[in-house]
Amino acid sequence: MVTLKCSYTVKPAEPTPIIRQWLPEADQLQALTHAPTVYFYPSSKPDSIDSPLETLKDSLSQALVYFYPLAGRLHVIDGGRLELDCNAMGAEVFEAYSESTIKDFGDFAPTPELRKLLVPPIDYNNTPFHELPLVLVQLTKFKCGGLSIGLAISHSMVDGQAALHFISCWAKIARGEKLVDSDQPFLDRTILKMDDDNNKKGPRYHHVEFDPPPLMIGASDDKEERSKETTVTMLKLTKEQVEKLKQKANIDRTKDDMKVRMYSRYESLAGHIWRCTCKARGHDDEQLTGLRISVDCRHRLRPPLPPKYFGNVTFKSTPVAKSGDLMKKPLSYAASKMREGAEMFNDDYIRSSVEYLKNESDWSRIRRGFHSVGCPQGDYLGNPNLAVTSWIGLSIYDADFGWGKPIYMGPATLGFDGKSFVIPGDGDGSLLIALRLRVDHMEAFKEFFYQDI
């Protein structure tokens, strides 16, 4: 049980530019919802802070001076495109209290209950879209003395790397430190307009990432799969298990494979999850299955984007394979399909993707994010497909607001069957996997997942 005590609007501490800002195609692709995450802090530190709430509010007000786009509001314009109104309307901060303890949340699995209790509520149905804050924060104090910070940040404004850049700077200010030049966000999104002569030729590739995902053999739609009951779990791999899985992916590489770099932890693990999911779902050998992955394109463009570019620069790749090949061939096959899907995103392919999207007259058709549980709209990425998002390498434990680093940070919800996040442990080399699957597939998946590792 959580009781919301108060809410506050936090505006930038100083005047900020009042302008309308154009948003590039990489922003337009994102869901019109907020990405919910949650941080947990132990009970040993908060007592040393006079007021965690005031610390959060004051530092957020200062952070919004540097990251002023997040204090604005989004507007829908012609064809369903979005435009950012930098109007300094501010973020929303909620104060809450819970009779629970941190231990009551167990392994922090992103269940619907966790999302409901610890992340700010957002009324998408009754609040006009242009009035929705882009950042909402909930500080929850637990009976044990611990804290959680639940965040909801607009998908259309930032990807994971940009969001964590903002949170890291916000926390730095809360600790009483000054931001240096290398902390400053690069806010000019027009750098992604890409209006050069080469792009005016139009798209130069068939952009499979925008094709409808595969359906189950014999099915004409995904209505039946959407209706199946799902559940959420948290799986853990030790550093030793991660290395064993990586070795397994690389030990049977072909001679051609040996000419390129070894498969990474993420490629090895995502390939393993893909294979195990096919087995747990009982796929026929000829069943097509897609793996949705995020590709960070910051350093894939030529020239690369400036350091600290603030916005979305991730595109989705969906390599497709036959389930029989994934299940019967070595793990290196699944890893190689995943790598192929990511490596096609070179400078030319990214620019071609932008040209493809510029021709879109109805963004509601192509915008992602409507495939969540209970929603009948949009592409469904559940059975026979899945999505594996990696947070390996992201600074998710930097959110020290003056009362120590979080003991856990992760997603507060998983939207659909087959959705998963790979979350790094805090410096020990372990990995956590947050996963949603159909109830009747989960136990078989766990069995396959831990076999031989």
Side-chain angles (χ1 to χ4, degrees):
M1 180 67 179
V2 170
T3 302
L4 288 177
K5 298 173 64 177
C6 297
S7 65
Y8 309 85
T9 298
V10 176
K11 297 187 177 184
E14 301 173 13
T16 55
I18 304 300
I19 55 175
R20 286 281 183 133
Q21 193 173 70
W22 175 86
L23 298 179
E25 279 65 28
D27 292 325
Q28 303 292 343
L29 274 176
Q30 307 305 317
L32 298 180
T33 53
H34 295 64
T37 56
V38 64
Y39 295 77
F40 286 91
Y41 298 86
S43 58
S44 57
K45 292 289 186 179
D47 289 343
S48 64
I49 304 298
D50 290 338
S51 173
L53 177 66
E54 292 304 316
T55 298
L56 278 185
K57 289 165 55 184
D58 291 347
S59 54
L60 177 57
S61 180
Q62 296 176 58
L64 290 176
V65 174
Y66 300 95
F67 295 85
Y68 65 83
L70 292 180
R73 298 293 185 268
L74 291 170
H75 289 255
V76 179
I77 57 176
D78 294 344
R81 280 190 72 100
L82 299 179
E83 185 177 66
L84 176 63
D85 184 7
C86 296
N87 56 15
M89 291 297 291
E92 291 295 312
V93 176
F94 297 80
E95 182 183 16
Y97 177 77
S98 174
E99 287 292 333
S100 301
T101 67
I102 289 179
K103 288 184 177 180
D104 291 333
F105 290 89
D107 58 6
F108 308 119
T111 62
E113 181 184 28
L114 183 142
R115 167 69 175 84
K116 181 179 179 181
L117 293 176
L118 302 182
V119 179
I122 305 171
D123 189 352
Y124 294 108
N125 295 322
N126 298 309
T127 304
F129 180 71
H130 66 275
E131 294 181 7
L132 289 172
L134 304 181
V135 177
L136 300 98
V137 185
Q138 180 177 315
L139 176 69
T140 303
K141 299 178 182 179
F142 298 107
K143 182 173 63 175
C144 62
L147 301 172
S148 72
I149 297 176
L151 293 174
I153 303 180
S154 169
H155 261 302
S156 302
M157 291 302 298
V158 292
D159 56 19
Q161 186 163 319
L164 288 169
H165 174 205
F166 162 66
I167 295 165
S168 178
C169 289
W170 173 19
K172 190 173 183 179
I173 293 171
R175 296 194 302 270
E177 302 174 26
K178 291 186 177 181
L179 300 189
V180 298
D181 288 345
S182 60
D183 292 322
Q184 303 292 325
F186 184 89
L187 300 177
D188 183 7
R189 301 188 188 215
T190 61
I191 196 172
L192 286 178
K193 275 193 171 180
M194 302 183 184
D195 289 331
D196 56 55
D197 291 338
N198 187 44
N199 288 330
K200 291 176 182 177
K201 299 175 184 177
R204 297 171 293 286
Y205 301 88
H206 171 61
H207 288 279
V208 295
E209 64 269 25
F210 302 123
D211 290 345
L215 295 170
M216 292 296 294
I217 291 176
S220 58
D221 57 45
D222 50 39
K223 290 182 180 179
E224 183 178 352
E225 287 300 325
R226 287 180 190 260
S227 67
K228 301 294 179 63
E229 184 181 359
T230 59
T231 188
V232 174
T233 193
M234 291 288 284
L235 305 170
K236 182 174 182 178
L237 291 178
T238 65
K239 179 181 179 180
E240 291 72 25
Q241 288 173 315
V242 173
E243 287 304 314
K244 186 173 182 180
L245 196 59
K246 183 178 175 180
Q247 291 173 9
K248 187 176 180 181
N250 285 286
I251 198 170
D252 49 20
R253 293 194 300 164
T254 65
K255 290 183 178 180
D256 288 338
D257 289 335
M258 299 299 286
K259 298 176 183 177
V260 296
R261 61 179 173 82
M262 295 179 67
Y263 294 119
S264 66
R265 292 179 297 166
Y266 174 42
E267 290 170 328
S268 305
L269 178 54
H272 181 60
I273 294 172
W274 198 5
R275 301 172 83 210
C276 293
T277 305
C278 294
K279 294 177 182 178
R281 288 168 166 171
H283 284 174
D284 291 340
D285 285 353
E286 296 300 309
Q287 175 66 59
L288 292 178
T289 171
L291 171 65
R292 176 68 63 89
I293 58 175
S294 296
V295 182
D296 184 354
C297 296
R298 283 171 170 77
H299 301 293
R300 294 172 181 263
L301 287 163
R302 295 292 177 267
L305 290 181
K308 307 300 183 182
Y309 174 87
F310 190 69
N312 286 286
V313 204
T314 54
F315 285 82
K316 298 297 185 183
S317 177
T318 309
V320 174
K322 288 183 178 181
S323 292
D325 289 337
L326 292 169
M327 293 186 288
K328 295 178 179 179
K329 292 183 178 181
L331 177 57
S332 58
Y333 175 77
S336 71
K337 295 295 292 184
M338 179 182 167
R339 178 173 289 183
E340 288 172 11
E343 290 193 341
M344 69 181 182
F345 280 84
N346 57 24
D347 179 79
D348 193 50
Y349 191 88
I350 297 166
R351 292 176 184 275
S352 177
S353 296
V354 170
E355 284 302 303
Y356 175 93
L357 293 168
K358 282 181 178 178
N359 295 325
E360 184 56 53
S361 59
D362 180 11
W363 277 94
S364 64
R365 181 192 72 83
I366 205 167
R367 185 169 280 129
R368 296 195 300 271
F370 296 101
H371 42 258
S372 57
V373 170
C375 184
Q377 302 177 8
D379 288 343
Y380 177 67
L381 294 178
N383 193 16
N385 311 296
L386 70 158
V388 182
T389 300
S390 173
W391 285 355
I392 299 174
L394 295 181
S395 53
I396 67 172
Y397 293 103
D398 282 358
D400 178 357
F401 291 89
W403 47 78
K405 292 184 177 183
I407 57 173
Y408 173 80
M409 179 273 184
T413 191
L414 297 174
F416 53 89
D417 171 37
K419 177 65 175 176
S420 65
F421 284 88
V422 180
I423 306 165
D426 189 9
D428 63 357
S430 65
L431 294 175
L432 297 172
I433 299 91
L435 171 70
R436 180 187 282 269
L437 273 185
R438 271 176 40 182
V439 170
D440 55 340
H441 294 157
M442 184 63 83
E443 290 307 312
F445 176 88
K446 291 179 182 178
E447 183 177 342
F448 290 126
F449 183 78
Y450 284 112
Q451 276 182 357
D452 303 326
I453 60 169

